């Protein structure tokens, strides 16, 4: 079967295609601008034909006034064309921004991708930058090259042939430029991205880098990458510069050659001196867009690479916003023979896991280190997709829900609580712009975090910055729980929610779980510590990514330990 060409991705073509009227307008402006470009030639012919023979100053003045008007119009239209093209670029970016942002987020699930600058965002910016540059204008001028050459033919077949030869030479220089710089340009770009990623990595891990005295080695690695990227850049710009200078010189030489050839024809007696100069001007105009395109070839290459990158990404990463909206489901999770492979890995970390949890029940997932508890939490929240089997929420595959909707149905407390720059209230409300303050306070109260928040310098309006150190581990965990409880989630997935909690925190957590059950939510708690079992009705024991036991709490506990852990049930042990 023939494979669809990735460059023809429908979404990209549509994003440009919506501006078809504007593009049509640009084509019309280009036509007028190119016709107006004959002003100089016509003026010169009129000066030769009318003004000089008649010695008429008035004619010259009238002609000149007309020329001023025509050039003014040309300037206005040329500027309008650039403005429209820049707006087409902005519209293109605006239309694809959300799609690209979602792709970047999805790709970031791969640890290897997380370290790199976002290719999709870079690519979109590159295409927008290209459209806002003077280059597309020059590209719209290219089809007018034959128009100027045809006029040259009308003056003289020899001058026409010279024009064609000139266009071929300049175009050949463009092709040589592309051919010689393509690889080096791509290399320079790739290495520069790697160097940027290295800076970003160092910046993010600055405490470790400084603490372990690793600045020197990192600097050496970074400088190595920058030097390689600079070398590749220099090599490209050397070749490009050589060819650009050659093309400039060739154009001027050709214009002089046109004058020379015109002079030969004038001397032969069958040619007008005005036509000789007119052809020289026409040739310059015909070759100008070709030369401009050569000079900016790198930009065209980068824009084309960016287009191909986006095409491939759009073809391979589905647009999730296209799913049909489902009604709010029942608070029930069914995991059916689900196997989970971490993104970018080959080996599953969870093997054929099967269990269910119904509304109003709490399930504890316990097991030794690296048993797969956090992996299960990630799979349940859709962060890591199941490689085999199905995870259902309210009977529907969780992949059927758009990620943001699924996120709202699930209250997820990850093992490491990350808070974002913004106020405490914004963090609890998951940055929902229409958040109801009463709902934020309610979530905090349910997580028993309300009093703690009121004791912060600005209460709910306390601003948290990136990497803030205002909050202790326990405080973060309580805020994380409030955030998980915000917005009436159906299922709570709490990964080690008790890891940094003191006795008060543990009591609060168990109270929050009991209340969630009363509210009809299902609760799944991943934990090492037995204190988490107090409110749980069922227990699932994981070991090496497999279910060792699953069932009612006391039954499972007595099976695996020989006791019912009465003190655990009473909430006494931690
Ligand atoms: N991002 C990842 N990429 C590849 N493998 C991973 C990733 N995260 C975890 N694993 C592997 O998956 C297995 C299960 O890890 P997981 O963190 O789910 O265990 P856990 O039971 O939560 O452990 P702990 O109690 O120590 O937090 C481990 O062997 C771990 O090495």
């Amino acid at each position: 079967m023939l494979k669809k060409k990735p460059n023809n991705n429908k979404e990209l073509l549509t994003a440009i295609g919506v501006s078809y009227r504007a593009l049509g307008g640009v084509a019309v402006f280009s036509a007028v601008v190119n016709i107006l470009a004959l002003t100089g030639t016509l003026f010169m012919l009129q000066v030769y034909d009318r003004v000089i023979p008649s010695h008429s100053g008035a004619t010259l003045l009238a002609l000149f006034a007309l020329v001023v008007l025509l050039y003014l119009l040309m300037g206005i239209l040329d500027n309008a064309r650039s403005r429209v093209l820049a707006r087409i670029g902005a519209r293109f970016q605006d239309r694809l921004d959300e799609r690209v942002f979602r792709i970047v987020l999805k790709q970031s699930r791969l640890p290897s991708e997380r370290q790199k600058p976002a290719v999709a965002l870079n690519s979109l910016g590159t295409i927008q930058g290209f459209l806002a540059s003077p280059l597309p204008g020059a590209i719209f001028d290219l089809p007018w090259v034959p128009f100027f050459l045809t006029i040259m033919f009308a003056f003289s077949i020899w001058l026409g042939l010279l024009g064609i030869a000139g266009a071929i030479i300049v175009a050949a220089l463009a092709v040589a430029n592309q051919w010689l710089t393509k690889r080096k340009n791509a290399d320079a770009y790739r290495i520069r991205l790697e160097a940027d990623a290295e800076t970003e990595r160092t910046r993010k891990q600055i405490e470790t880098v400084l603490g372990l005295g690793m600045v020197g080695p990192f600097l050496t690695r970074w400088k190595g990458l920058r030097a390689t990227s600079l070398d590749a850049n220099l090599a490209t710009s050397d070749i490009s510069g050589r060819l650009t200078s050659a093309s400039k010189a060739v154009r001027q030489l050709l214009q002089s050659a046109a004058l020379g050839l015109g002079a030969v024809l004038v001397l032969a007696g069958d040619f007008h001196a005005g036509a000789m100069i007119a052809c020289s001007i026409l040739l310059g105009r015909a070759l100008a867009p070709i030369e401009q395109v050569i000079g900016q070839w790198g930009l065209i290459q980068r824009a084309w690479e960016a287009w191909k990158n986006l095409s491939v990404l759009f073809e391979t990463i589905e647009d999730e916003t296209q799913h049909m909206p489902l009604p709010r489901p029942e608070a029930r999770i069914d995991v059916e023979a689900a196997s989970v492979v971490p993104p970018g890995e080959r080996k599953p970390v969870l093997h054929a896991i099967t269990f269910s949890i119904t509304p109003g029940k709490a399930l504890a997932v316990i097991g030794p280190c690296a048993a797969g508890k956090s992996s299960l939490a990630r799979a349940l929240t859709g962060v890591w997709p199941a490689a085999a089997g199905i995870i259902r929420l309210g009977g529907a595959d969780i992949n059927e829900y758009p990620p943001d909707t699924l996120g709202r149905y699930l209250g997820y407390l990850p093992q490491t609580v990350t808070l974002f720059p913004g106020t405490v209230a914004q963090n609890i409300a998951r940055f929902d712009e229409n958040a109801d303050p009463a709902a934020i306070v309610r979530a905090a109260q349910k997580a028993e975090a309300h009093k703690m928040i009121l004791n912060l310098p600005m209460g709910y309006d306390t601003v948290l910055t990136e990497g803030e150190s205002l909050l202790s581990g326990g405080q973060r965990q309580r805020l994380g729980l409030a955030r998980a409880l915000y917005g009436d989630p159906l299922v709570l997935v709490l990964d080690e929610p008790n890891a940094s909690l003191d006795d008060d925190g543990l009591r609060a957590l168990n109270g929050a779980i009991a209340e969630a059950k009363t509210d009809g939510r299902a609760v799944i708690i991943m934990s090492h510590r037995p204190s988490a079992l107090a409110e749980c009705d069922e227990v699932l024991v994981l070991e090496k990514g497999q279910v060792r036991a699953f069932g009612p709490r006391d039954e499972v506990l007595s099976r695996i330990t020989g006791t019912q852990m009465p003190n655990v049930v009473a909430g006494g042990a931690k």
Side-chain angles (χ1 to χ4, degrees):
M1 204 177 74
L2 262 179
K3 253 187 127 181
K4 204 166 117 195
K5 253 184 137 184
N7 307 338
N8 295 336
N9 175 267
K10 219 173 116 197
E11 285 173 82
L12 275 177
L13 293 176
T14 311
I16 276 285
V18 287
S19 301
Y20 72 96
R21 275 174 207 272
L23 284 166
V26 170
V28 172
F29 286 164
S30 301
V32 181
V33 165
N34 277 284
I35 292 167
L36 286 174
L38 293 176
T39 303
T41 311
L42 293 172
F43 177 59
M44 210 252 333
L45 285 175
Q46 292 301 312
V47 169
Y48 264 90
D49 283 352
R50 290 174 200 264
V51 179
I52 295 177
S54 66
H55 289 86
S56 164
T59 313
L60 179 62
L61 203 63
L63 281 173
F64 187 68
L66 186 64
V67 163
V68 169
L69 271 181
L70 292 177
Y71 272 131
L72 189 68
L73 181 62
M74 185 173 137
I76 290 172
L77 287 178
D78 199 27
N79 177 250
R81 181 171 78 161
S82 317
R83 288 172 62 95
V84 172
L85 279 165
R87 274 149 189 81
I88 292 174
R91 193 173 183 191
F92 177 80
Q93 177 173 316
D94 188 50
R95 209 181 148 87
L96 294 178
D97 255 350
E98 185 182 332
R99 172 85 163 106
V100 164
F101 188 71
R102 287 182 186 279
I103 287 180
V104 172
L105 291 191
K106 195 154 191 179
Q107 281 188 311
S108 303
R109 289 180 193 181
L110 285 177
S112 55
E113 289 295 326
R114 228 172 290 153
Q115 305 299 331
K116 295 186 203 158
V119 173
L121 268 182
N122 267 331
S123 300
L124 189 58
T126 305
I127 298 173
Q128 184 274 327
F130 165 75
L131 287 167
S133 79
L135 250 184
I139 292 172
F140 269 92
D141 286 340
L142 278 179
W144 288 87
V145 172
F147 169 68
F148 294 109
L149 294 179
T150 309
I151 300 177
M152 286 180 73
F153 265 107
F155 280 116
S156 149
I157 189 162
W158 296 111
L159 282 163
L161 288 174
L162 179 74
I164 289 191
I168 292 173
I169 294 173
V170 175
L173 285 170
V175 174
N177 198 359
Q178 182 209 11
W179 193 67
L180 291 171
T181 56
K182 189 176 171 192
R183 183 100 173 253
K184 285 202 164 60
N185 242 330
D187 282 352
Y189 184 59
R190 185 180 47 76
I191 299 165
R192 191 174 61 75
L193 288 185
E194 272 175 39
D196 288 352
E198 186 74 28
T199 321
E200 196 54 22
R201 269 196 294 273
T202 314
R203 217 172 54 80
K204 278 194 184 137
Q205 305 299 333
I206 190 65
E207 286 182 14
T208 315
V209 171
L210 282 177
L212 294 175
M214 287 157 66
V215 174
F218 271 98
L219 192 63
T220 314
R221 254 168 57 166
W222 180 75
K223 276 176 78 176
L225 283 170
R226 296 275 283 185
T228 321
S229 161
L230 268 183
D231 283 349
N233 252 328
L234 278 178
T236 323
S237 73
D238 280 353
I239 299 172
S240 228
R242 233 173 280 150
L243 288 164
T244 308
S245 306
S247 107
K248 236 185 237 163
V250 165
R251 178 169 61 80
Q252 280 166 15
L253 177 69
L254 284 166
Q255 279 186 268
S256 298
L259 266 183
L261 186 56
V264 170
L265 295 172
V266 171
L267 289 178
D270 56 351
F271 205 59
H272 191 284
M276 171 185 84
I277 302 179
C279 282
S280 169
I281 298 176
L282 280 172
L283 187 60
R285 176 69 203 188
L287 300 184
I290 306 180
E291 198 183 310
Q292 203 175 350
V293 170
I294 298 178
Q296 300 288 322
W297 196 257
L299 191 53
I300 297 183
Q301 269 175 343
R302 281 195 293 279
W304 180 234
E305 283 301 317
W307 180 278
K308 286 198 290 188
N309 281 342
L310 281 185
S311 292
V312 171
L313 287 173
F314 284 3
E315 291 293 326
T316 45
I317 300 180
E318 190 198 351
D319 187 357
E320 285 155 341
T321 54
Q322 303 299 319
H323 285 289
M324 200 190 88
L326 293 171
R328 186 174 162 88
E330 188 195 6
R332 175 188 173 92
I333 291 271
D334 295 288
V335 179
E336 300 166 5
S339 294
V340 174
V341 180
E345 298 291 320
R346 284 161 185 264
K347 268 175 60 187
V349 291
L350 290 175
H351 308 266
I353 305 289
T354 298
F355 70 90
S356 290
I357 169 127
T358 49
K361 297 280 181 206
L363 163 75
V365 178
I366 59 172
C369 278
K373 302 181 294 293
S374 295
S375 304
L376 181 59
R378 291 186 191 113
L380 289 170
T381 48
V383 178
W384 287 3
I390 290 190
I391 300 174
R392 296 183 191 279
L393 168 64
D397 187 334
I398 55 168
N399 296 317
E400 291 298 316
Y401 301 98
D404 279 2
T405 311
L406 182 67
R408 273 198 302 278
Y409 291 155
L410 302 172
Y412 177 38
L413 173 65
Q415 194 167 1
T416 310
V417 178
T418 308
L419 299 167
F420 298 92
T423 64
V424 166
Q426 283 175 319
N427 269 283
I428 293 177
R430 307 179 191 184
F431 287 82
D432 174 5
E433 283 184 354
N434 306 312
D436 172 11
I440 297 176
V441 173
R442 217 164 34 244
Q445 282 168 336
K446 283 183 190 239
E448 301 257 4
H450 180 65
K451 277 196 194 133
M452 179 272 285
I453 294 170
L454 292 182
N455 283 331
L456 292 174
M458 303 269 291
Y460 281 87
D461 293 320
T462 305
V463 176
L464 305 175
T465 51
E466 202 179 354
E468 54 75 32
S469 48
L470 185 73
L471 303 172
S472 71
Q475 286 176 317
R476 285 170 159 272
Q477 211 142 23
R478 281 202 197 188
L479 277 191
L481 182 59
R483 181 173 65 182
L485 284 163
Y486 173 80
D488 201 15
L490 294 164
V491 180
L492 292 178
V493 180
L494 313 177
D495 191 359
E496 302 283 358
N498 46 3
S500 319
L501 297 183
D502 55 12
D503 285 354
D504 279 353
L506 289 172
R507 259 191 299 279
L509 174 68
N510 283 335
I513 295 170
E515 199 178 338
K517 283 167 57 180
T518 317
D519 292 344
R521 306 183 213 285
V523 187
I524 303 175
I525 307 149
M526 281 69 192
S527 186
H528 269 117
R529 299 170 70 186
S531 60
L533 299 179
E535 286 298 333
C536 291
D537 309 280
E538 282 164 294
V539 170
L540 182 139
V541 184
L542 272 183
E543 216 180 288
K544 294 185 182 154
Q546 287 176 335
V547 177
R548 282 280 163 258
F550 170 59
R553 179 188 64 189
D554 294 343
E555 198 183 302
V556 172
L557 290 181
S558 65
R559 220 185 314 149
I560 60 167
T561 65
T563 74
Q564 285 199 0
M565 302 178 76
N567 54 344
V568 167
V569 178
K574 294 168 196 167

